[in-house]
Amino acid sequence: MRQFVLKVHELCNLACDHCYVYEHADQTWRDRPATMSVPVVQRVAARIAEHAVRHRLPQVGVVLHGGEPLLLGPARLREILTVLRSTVGAATALDLRMQTNGIRLDETTAELLLEFGVRAGVSLDGDRAANDRHRRYRNGASSHERTLRGLALLRSPRYRPAYAGILCTIDVRNDPIAVYEALLEQEPPRIDLLLPHATWDDPPPHAAAGTTPYADWLVRLHRRWLADGRPVPIRLFDALHATAAGRDSGVESVGIDRGELAVVETDGSWEQPDSMKTTFHGAAATGLTVFSASADDLLATPAMRRRQAGLDGLGATCRACPVVTRCGGGLFAHRFRSGAGFANPSVYCADLKGLISAMHSDPPSTVSAAAGRSALPGPVLDELASGGGDGACIAHLTAAQESINRALLVAASESLTGAAAAAWSLLAELDKDRPDAVRRVLTQPFTRAWAVRLLSGRDDPARLADLAAAAAVIAGAGTEVAVTPRDGRVHLPTLGTLTLPDAGVPEVLVSGTGTVRWPDGGTRLAPDSPGWAPTASIALDDLTVRLEDADPYRDCHDWPPAGPLTPGDRRAWAASLRAAWPSVLSDAPEQAAGLAGGLTTITPLVPDGVTLRSATSRQAYGALGIALTPDPAAMAVMLVHEFQHTKLGAVLDLIDLVDPDATVLTKVGWRPDPRPAEGVLQGIYAHLAVADMWRHRAARGEPGAGGHYATYREWTAAAIGELSTSGALTAPGRRFMDRLAATIEAWPG
Ligand code: SF4
């Protein structure tokens, strides 16, 4: 359980007619205390802290919710935030948020949000006409102007760090483009689009049988958003793109992620997510309270276990559905039908299918260099500039990298002939039916390393057949691909390497069913087949990382790659990474989610036997080159350090932070030779994260950590000062540097 919604105020100053708290089936709010008392908050905070410690969670999220949380007033809000920061914040990193209608947002409350590091999401349904359909005061007056006033405050430079985004409930009578433009005007860091809560008993508003008005509405908005180069993350679309790539959606509304969210009511009752209130009276109840039960007790209840059951928890129709891994049956509450419970498809099933299929056939996001250079939204840039970057930021960078890889391949495809042209056609065909398989090989880090070499005339197109063959095998396609072995080996990216019995075989045929044929022999791509070495994967909690010891294009770092690894080498790597990962979680909580979302591959390097060795290539996003070390603390530092270079490289692919004409060289603490501006920037970004790790270690009293922290902090701060005044930064680069400076200034000196 990583997300906790605290209902701190039961009442609201608006009377929105689409509100599920007051206007839907559940009416339990009537019997609860109006506000969450401090003793209840203390108990909730202790329960969350206990859960975080027990499960070694690197971070938990707490959302203050209502009703309207700002009705608490500043003094009570301060009391609650103090308890949460001191109790939960002592146990783990705490991501504090609030969901508000924005009406009570003023400088006093905004200062409070800043002081306690709270980010507020504001509910707004579009322009005035759209918002006025539902979001009104009890006397029918519009709330639009007051909400915009609150948003203006959050947009101001001082309070922008407290701005989480906008939550918009869809009304299909509103024009989606007008809604989108009205929301963009508020410069939100993120937009959430919410389907109005509905069930089979109480179907979606304005939807006639046989129509898909919500899909139609969302598809129009999605196309405009893509055409704009995704100027702001839209959670529903990002979640569906993530599930298409085989990743978790990160949201409750789509995908088959396990439910990670619990609600605590004002009286301390543990409840299921709020959306259940749309189904029937008392539906969210669990019978437990924070006074009698822990979060683990809550997870053990049948209701919560059912939410955590993933695919197994879905009805037969959903389980057999071709888009189930993307849709996941929609929001749990939307499956409800009296008498049948929740084992149904979503009441939005047709809309979800329509949206998913349209998103699949929409052109991929902007891929041209010109569009790409403006495709990093300011809020995402700001978050990355703080030195961290959550899963959503990394998803943005990953999507951009995929676009770049596709653009490179499209450029390369123009001059293909023969077997390479056939491989390209096969990839294009597979991309229609099994985009997941194609995406897997196109986003393999060394695809770009090869494509760049090919386009600069330094390589041949043979790898295209390797990629097509690998995609065919992943897809189980009924086709054969002609592949040219290199030095008697056939490498299938992300799958493994086949060493042929005869190094002179000029060509093999790889079948999508997993067999390989050559003129006088053949084999299956099975673990026990002679010559076949599958690419090793190592599971680390939230991520699985490939150990790439055979890809012929992995030699794109500064140091020579090791390989092929022996089984003993692989075991040593698994032991080292598994020992290091807890250190990443505890010492680099700001980086762990990013690593979990973006790190796909480790290339073992040849160790030099004396110093630690690690590297990153701008042309191999998601891959880190590292020489094995048995020291988990050192391995953790190398993972974090190098992933910072990966992230920054991906940012620099999209936006110039350094003036390309700058020639200034700067002296830095970590190297003897003066460095060019981009090198200094890279060093700052990596060393900031390393300083942060030592800061955490020092805070735990680890011997010697304080000295390391002081050194890295001083190097980084000094380099920030030098680069900021060097004249080498562009305007976005100065903004980036200002935020890095703010991060380090907030740490103890
Ligand atoms: S709700 Fe509909 S689209 Fe979604 S998984 Fe179930 S059957 Fe498929």
Side-chain angles (χ1 to χ4, degrees):
M1 198 78 80
R2 294 165 197 261
Q3 292 285 334
F4 299 86
V5 171
L6 273 49
K7 313 287 275 186
V8 292
H9 201 292
E10 203 68 49
L11 305 176
C12 188
N13 44 358
L14 290 183
C16 308
D17 61 9
H18 57 5
C19 178
Y20 55 85
V21 177
Y22 308 113
E23 304 296 334
H24 287 207
D26 184 284
Q27 291 291 305
T28 48
W29 65 274
R30 293 177 187 278
D31 303 323
R32 300 200 197 274
T35 63
M36 186 177 274
S37 67
V38 170
V40 172
V41 177
Q42 287 168 335
R43 196 67 193 138
V44 177
R47 288 298 192 193
I48 297 172
E50 162 192 85
H51 190 69
V53 169
R54 183 174 298 157
H55 297 280
R56 300 170 66 192
L57 300 180
Q59 176 170 304
V60 295
V62 172
V63 186
L64 302 191
H65 212 282
E68 170 50 45
L70 287 180
L71 287 179
L72 285 169
R76 187 63 172 283
L77 191 55
R78 171 178 290 282
E79 282 182 307
I80 289 177
L81 293 173
T82 303
V83 171
L84 290 170
R85 275 277 169 231
S86 61
T87 308
V88 183
T92 186
L94 172 59
D95 179 16
L96 254 179
R97 300 194 180 221
M98 170 184 289
Q99 187 60 39
T100 170
N101 57 35
I103 287 168
R104 285 270 191 125
L105 262 175
D106 56 15
E107 290 192 359
T108 307
T109 46
E111 284 294 332
L112 208 54
L113 299 184
L114 273 193
E115 181 184 340
F116 284 91
V118 183
R119 290 200 282 170
V122 177
S123 304
L124 181 78
D125 290 349
D127 57 18
R128 177 164 181 147
N131 204 61
D132 281 357
R133 283 194 195 275
H134 304 286
R135 301 194 156 277
R136 290 177 177 273
Y137 289 95
R138 224 163 298 281
N139 64 6
S142 167
S143 62
H144 188 248
E145 194 184 323
R146 293 286 298 273
T147 300
L148 288 203
R149 219 182 296 163
L151 281 164
L153 201 63
L154 290 178
R155 284 204 314 274
S156 66
R158 175 159 182 78
Y159 299 118
R160 185 152 184 103
Y163 189 8
I166 290 180
L167 177 72
C168 166
T169 302
I170 297 167
D171 186 316
V172 289
R173 293 170 298 176
N174 298 327
D175 177 61
I177 305 306
V179 167
Y180 169 74
E181 288 175 346
L183 301 185
L184 274 193
E185 264 179 36
Q186 301 307 317
E187 300 171 17
R190 181 200 300 275
I191 293 172
D192 269 7
L193 297 172
L194 210 68
L195 291 167
H197 287 322
T199 66
W200 289 101
D201 292 356
D202 190 6
H206 318 295
T211 65
T212 54
Y214 291 87
D216 303 343
W217 197 94
L218 284 161
V219 167
R220 280 188 64 202
L221 203 154
H222 181 251
R223 289 197 174 135
R224 169 63 186 275
W225 178 67
L226 284 186
D228 285 358
R230 307 185 191 196
V232 58
I234 296 184
R235 198 192 291 256
L236 176 63
F237 298 151
D238 288 335
L240 285 171
H241 283 295
T243 58
R247 298 192 303 272
D248 286 352
S249 70
V251 299
E252 271 199 298
S253 52
V254 291
I256 46 174
D257 302 14
R258 297 186 317 156
E260 292 188 334
L261 188 149
V263 175
V264 185
E265 282 290 350
T266 51
D267 59 0
S269 301
W270 283 117
E271 294 229 323
Q272 298 178 62
D274 255 11
S275 47
M276 290 296 282
K277 291 184 169 156
T278 204
T279 57
F280 56 90
H281 183 72
T286 65
L288 304 180
T289 80
V290 293
F291 295 99
S292 60
S294 67
D296 277 352
D297 296 332
L298 174 69
L299 278 170
T301 59
M304 295 302 280
R305 290 167 73 103
R306 183 181 54 186
R307 303 184 72 90
Q308 296 238 323
L311 266 181
D312 294 341
L314 295 175
T317 309
C318 286
R319 287 203 306 275
C321 172
V323 297
V324 66
T325 54
R326 300 192 63 187
C327 168
L331 195 71
F332 190 81
H334 294 177
R335 299 174 210 156
F336 180 73
R337 185 197 293 273
S338 291
F342 295 89
N344 313 298
S346 167
V347 71
Y348 283 104
C349 176
D351 288 286
L352 289 165
K353 270 192 191 131
L355 173 63
I356 289 166
S357 110
M359 283 178 69
H360 171 49
S361 54
D362 275 348
S365 185
T366 49
V367 293
S368 74
R373 294 188 89 74
S374 63
L376 193 59
V380 173
L381 184 64
D382 284 349
E383 184 148 350
L384 290 162
S386 69
D390 61 12
C393 286
I394 301 303
H396 199 97
L397 294 179
T398 303
Q401 289 293 312
E402 183 188 341
S403 292
I404 290 169
N405 284 6
R406 283 178 180 265
L408 290 170
L409 288 181
V410 168
S413 71
E414 286 161 11
S415 56
L416 297 177
T417 57
W424 176 248
S425 298
L426 175 61
L427 278 171
E429 274 306 305
L430 284 173
D431 203 24
K432 290 183 195 149
D433 298 327
R434 288 295 306 272
D436 56 318
V438 175
R439 179 169 286 121
R440 178 164 148 184
V441 297
L442 293 195
T443 56
Q444 196 259 15
F446 308 113
T447 297
R448 173 166 162 182
W450 157 76
V452 168
R453 288 176 58 87
L454 176 67
L455 284 167
S456 60
R458 290 179 292 134
D459 218 311
D460 62 51
R463 185 178 173 92
L464 208 51
D466 304 346
L467 295 170
V473 172
I474 294 163
T479 186
E480 279 190 330
V481 185
V483 172
T484 306
R486 288 183 186 81
D487 303 326
R489 282 197 286 271
V490 175
H491 179 72
L492 300 180
T494 78
L495 295 178
T497 303
L498 177 66
T499 302
L500 298 168
D502 176 359
V505 172
E507 183 179 274
V508 301
L509 291 172
V510 179
S511 161
T513 57
T515 60
V516 183
R517 294 190 294 131
W518 55 93
D520 56 356
T523 189
R524 284 195 58 76
L525 301 177
D528 53 353
S529 296
W532 174 241
T535 304
S537 289
I538 299 170
L540 306 167
D541 284 355
D542 287 352
L543 87 146
T544 300
V545 64
R546 284 191 292 270
L547 208 53
E548 190 49 79
D549 63 343
D551 192 304
Y553 291 91
R554 73 193 190 285
D555 189 4
C556 57
H557 302 104
D558 291 342
W559 307 105
L565 303 181
T566 65
D569 294 335
R570 292 181 177 199
R571 281 195 297 277
W573 268 100
S576 174
L577 291 172
R578 288 190 182 124
W581 189 244
S583 173
V584 172
L585 296 179
S586 60
D587 303 341
E590 299 293 332
Q591 314 298 338
L595 272 155
L599 174 62
T600 59
T601 306
I602 286 180
T603 307
L605 300 178
V606 175
D608 76 352
V610 181
T611 55
L612 297 170
R613 183 174 268 186
S614 63
T616 316
S617 165
R618 179 78 169 267
Q619 310 296 6
Y621 174 82
L624 309 182
I626 295 180
L628 182 64
T629 171
D631 178 351
M635 178 61 82
V637 168
M638 287 194 285
L639 290 170
V640 170
H641 177 119
E642 294 303 337
F643 192 68
Q644 288 294 92
H645 288 314
T646 292
K647 274 177 4 191
L648 186 56
V651 170
L652 291 169
D653 278 344
L654 299 174
I655 191 161
D656 285 330
L657 301 179
V658 172
D659 181 345
D661 298 326
T663 55
V664 63
L665 295 177
T666 303
K667 193 92 179 61
V668 291
W670 57 85
R671 279 186 66 137
D673 51 332
R675 306 287 296 146
E678 190 169 313
V680 177
L681 178 61
Q682 283 280 8
I684 288 170
Y685 203 58
H687 287 103
L688 179 114
V690 175
D692 196 27
M693 294 185 81
W694 287 113
R695 181 172 72 95
H696 281 87
R697 290 172 181 177
R700 285 201 309 272
E702 208 169 281
H708 288 306
Y709 167 56
T711 301
Y712 279 102
R713 186 186 190 284
E714 188 184 316
W715 283 349
T716 310
I720 288 173
E722 291 288 333
L723 195 55
S724 297
T725 55
S726 68
L729 297 175
T730 60
R734 287 193 294 277
R735 177 166 127 182
F736 197 89
M737 200 54 55
D738 287 349
R739 291 188 75 92
L740 285 175
T743 296
I744 209 163
E745 278 162 16
W747 296 345

